[in-house]
Amino acid sequence: MLLSGRELITSLHGLALGSVFLLSYAGGMAELWSLRHDWVTTTGVRTHLRRLAFGTWVMAIAGWLTVLTGAYLVFPMYRASAPPATADLSAYPKAFILAHPDLAMLQTIGMSWKEHIAWFAPILATAVAFVVTRYGFHLVSQPRLRQGAMALFTIAFLAAGIAGMFGAFLDKAAPVR
Amino acid sequence: MQVLTPPADRTRVQLQPQDLPESHPYEPATYALEAPNGPPAAALLGAGIGVLVLGVIDLLAKTVPPFDALLSWYPPTGDLSGITSLSVLAWLVVWAGLSRAWRGRSVDSGRVLGATLILTLLGVIITFPPTALLVPW
């Protein structure tokens, strides 16, 4: 087979769900940015808000699915303990990384930060999606709220970006197979 | 510029998007839609607090072993299961509490936004693993 079951799960987590989260940021940010009273007509506001609500909820749901698959499907495979006296640690990524001092930082800094900061993304994205859905029309006349939504949206993207970057490094150094 | 007048039997608060002519630019100064900003501000501040709580629980788990031992709710995932579940729960409770407290009210959105950003950045800093080395206990 081209991919093992374990590789399919990691691909679903990082390549599929994680990518949807990161890609939907660009569209959502553009819509939030242009939701200004001097740029859009009333018809435009309605159209913007429909797209924006859809995009932000896609981002929030993708974020939750990414962290849940990461924490409960991928992470247990990554941190599984190797049986004593196992010489080949390639099936035990965490043990493999810690056994190589030049890679250990990927665990002590990379995975340690990634596993927690990743959860910021769906929390912040959900708050933004909620604000857009329930109070979207008022974001046009309350620029502070719109700026707040844009700021949290951007932090959610950066948090997911940090997690995704370390995920890619870890998968390069010690893939889950 | 055409000046729009709200229908006589409606207040400004009740005005809805469908009341506006299709082709006219959206003009809040002319056709202001005043609504309490408490609930959306609660969602933003609640997220900031949730993120900080996650950072603090993570820091305590890293530095207080007996606390860390209590967080392994799903052993294959280890303490991550307890840290994140507890944080998500705290976030939802704080959000619900703020929404209830600020329902129908308007708050200073600038201060709320500032506080949210500070809390979120603190959360980012606290979760950065070397920060645990600075903890005095």
Side-chain angles (χ1 to χ4, degrees):
Chain A
M1 266 187 73
L2 186 62
L3 293 173
S4 69
R6 289 157 65 99
E7 286 170 324
L8 270 176
I9 291 171
T10 55
S11 300
L12 172 72
H13 163 71
L15 282 179
L17 295 168
S19 299
V20 167
F21 183 91
L22 292 172
L23 289 173
S24 49
Y25 168 78
M29 191 62 184
E31 294 288 346
L32 272 173
W33 183 269
S34 57
L35 200 60
R36 298 167 54 150
H37 69 83
D38 48 347
W39 285 14
V40 284
T41 62
T42 304
T43 307
V45 170
R46 280 186 219 139
T47 311
H48 272 275
L49 283 176
R50 271 197 297 271
R51 280 198 307 255
L52 185 56
F54 178 76
T56 49
W57 278 114
V58 165
M59 189 166 166
I61 291 167
W64 283 112
L65 291 175
T66 306
V67 296
L68 289 171
T69 55
Y72 292 97
L73 297 178
V74 179
F75 194 50
M77 294 189 282
Y78 168 82
R79 70 190 291 271
S81 301
T86 304
D88 180 11
L89 293 174
S90 57
Y92 306 95
K94 183 179 177 182
F96 178 87
I97 284 172
L98 291 176
H100 293 78
D102 55 327
L103 298 177
M105 239 176 133
L106 282 175
Q107 166 57 35
T108 55
I109 302 282
M111 181 51 98
S112 247
W113 200 17
K114 164 189 165 61
E115 70 190 54
H116 298 107
I117 199 171
W119 287 76
F120 289 12
I123 290 175
L124 297 173
T126 301
V128 173
F130 173 82
V131 169
V132 166
T133 306
R134 292 285 303 274
Y135 304 96
F137 198 72
H138 303 291
L139 291 178
V140 183
S141 54
Q142 299 196 19
R144 278 269 188 242
L145 281 180
R146 188 174 61 86
Q147 290 159 2
M150 287 196 301
L152 291 201
F153 210 52
T154 301
I155 297 172
F157 171 76
L158 292 175
I162 290 170
M165 180 186 72
F166 281 119
F169 289 161
L170 284 155
D171 197 54
K172 186 84 177 162
V176 173
R177 290 209 168 99
Chain B
M1 187 184 80
Q2 181 191 0
V3 176
L4 302 169
T5 310
D9 60 341
R10 294 216 179 158
T11 66
R12 286 155 67 92
V13 176
Q14 291 169 321
L15 198 62
Q16 295 300 313
Q18 58 268 26
D19 297 324
L20 303 180
E22 289 295 322
S23 58
H24 196 278
Y26 181 77
E27 292 279 1
T30 310
Y31 233 42
L33 292 172
E34 303 293 341
N37 67 7
L44 299 182
L45 185 60
I49 293 173
V51 159
L52 179 68
V53 167
L54 200 157
V56 170
I57 295 176
D58 173 39
L59 185 67
L60 288 173
K62 281 175 183 156
T63 55
V64 184
F67 180 65
D68 185 49
L70 297 174
L71 295 171
S72 191
W73 295 2
Y74 177 64
T77 295
D79 65 359
L80 182 64
S81 54
I83 292 170
T84 53
S85 302
L86 211 53
S87 306
V88 169
L89 196 63
W91 161 56
L92 293 174
V93 169
V94 167
W95 182 5
L98 283 173
S99 291
R100 193 181 171 86
W102 289 352
R103 183 180 299 153
R105 290 179 52 195
S106 276
V107 294
D108 183 339
S109 52
R111 288 178 69 177
V112 168
L113 176 57
T116 302
L117 290 178
I118 290 170
L119 294 170
T120 306
L121 291 176
L122 276 175
V124 171
I125 292 168
I126 292 174
T127 52
F128 187 57
T131 306
L133 301 174
L134 304 174
V135 173
W137 60 81

